Amino acid sequence: MDELIDVVDKKGKPTGKSELKSVIHKKGYYHHTAHVWFYTNTGEILLSQRSKKKAICPLLWDVSVAGHVDSGETITQAAIRETYEEIGVKIVENDLKKIGVFKCSQTYDNCIVDNEFHNTFIAELKIPLTILKPQIEEVEALKLVSFSTFNELINNAGTNNHFIASNKSYYKTVLQNIKQVII
């Protein structure tokens, strides 16, 4: 879907302009995304495998839920909407703990230039994995991994179809924040 997204400057501030997602990725405009990392109270982290239909990183295992912030939408609204759309879980603002905003720039072989600000949240997954309903267009599969497995996946990113190798510090920050809540 080619949704309308607000364009921001290199510091993440609104420019007052909006463009279609396809234009944003073609021209490399900066924009906001919402990332939600779900964890269980038993020390596991939910990973989503991106759909094989995705233009960027198909079949890569990565963040539990992620998506663009639509034009006029708040970042929290986007996080709540994306969670329901991608895995069928209804959450509210109080379920989310924001851990930071991470600037990420990637250029892909298909000419997509992705300059994003990942507005990143963590939230407890309070229902079993079997209850989740992956959105076919976005999510191929879901799994829970232990903290130690998550750390191994980070260390081997780029060779194991998990995570974007250039973003290792981002993933380590996510793990550290989740550990602080659990331990």
Side-chain angles (χ1 to χ4, degrees):
M1 189 166 107
D2 204 9
E3 63 259 56
L4 198 60
I5 299 171
D6 292 332
V7 177
V8 298
D9 66 19
K10 291 181 180 184
K11 293 184 179 182
K13 303 293 181 204
T15 63
K17 297 179 184 177
S18 299
E19 288 286 353
L20 292 173
K21 181 170 76 170
S22 59
V23 173
I24 283 177
H25 285 162
K26 182 178 182 181
K27 296 193 175 188
Y29 293 148
Y30 285 89
H31 57 286
H32 284 284
T33 60
H35 285 204
V36 183
W37 289 89
F38 282 94
Y39 62 88
T40 66
N41 62 7
T42 58
E44 295 175 301
I45 300 173
L46 178 67
L47 298 182
S48 288
Q49 185 180 36
R50 294 172 58 83
S51 168
K52 63 185 168 198
K53 299 174 186 176
K54 298 294 285 177
I56 297 173
C57 301
L59 299 176
L60 182 78
W61 288 93
D62 207 336
V63 60
S64 309
V65 171
H68 290 88
V69 177
D70 291 343
S71 181
E73 186 176 45
T74 69
I75 291 162
T76 303
Q77 288 169 334
I80 291 167
R81 176 184 51 77
E82 289 289 345
T83 297
Y84 184 70
E85 287 177 2
E86 290 191 8
I87 62 173
V89 175
K90 289 185 180 183
I91 60 170
V92 295
E93 188 171 349
N94 287 340
D95 294 327
L96 297 168
K97 178 183 177 195
K98 191 162 188 177
I99 62 168
V101 180
F102 304 87
K103 189 175 183 180
C104 180
S105 296
Q106 301 282 337
T107 302
Y108 299 94
D109 292 341
N110 58 3
C111 298
I112 289 177
V113 179
D114 207 8
N115 290 312
E116 296 182 340
F117 288 92
H118 299 324
N119 294 267
T120 306
F121 302 88
I122 59 174
E124 184 179 349
L125 183 64
K126 299 175 182 176
I127 60 174
L129 182 67
T130 55
I131 303 291
L132 303 180
K133 298 175 184 150
Q135 181 184 22
I136 296 168
E137 300 80 20
E138 298 288 331
V139 179
E140 199 73 27
L142 296 164
K143 68 180 176 181
L144 291 167
V145 297
S146 67
F147 290 168
S148 61
T149 299
F150 190 90
N151 197 52
E152 285 177 35
L153 294 171
I154 294 169
N155 291 335
N156 294 301
T159 63
N160 59 11
N161 201 36
H162 287 74
F163 307 135
I164 295 172
S166 59
N167 292 348
K168 285 184 180 184
S169 64
Y170 165 69
Y171 301 116
K172 288 182 181 192
T173 300
V174 168
L175 179 59
Q176 179 183 25
N177 277 271
I178 292 172
K179 280 183 172 180
Q180 287 174 355
V181 172
I182 294 292
I183 299 173

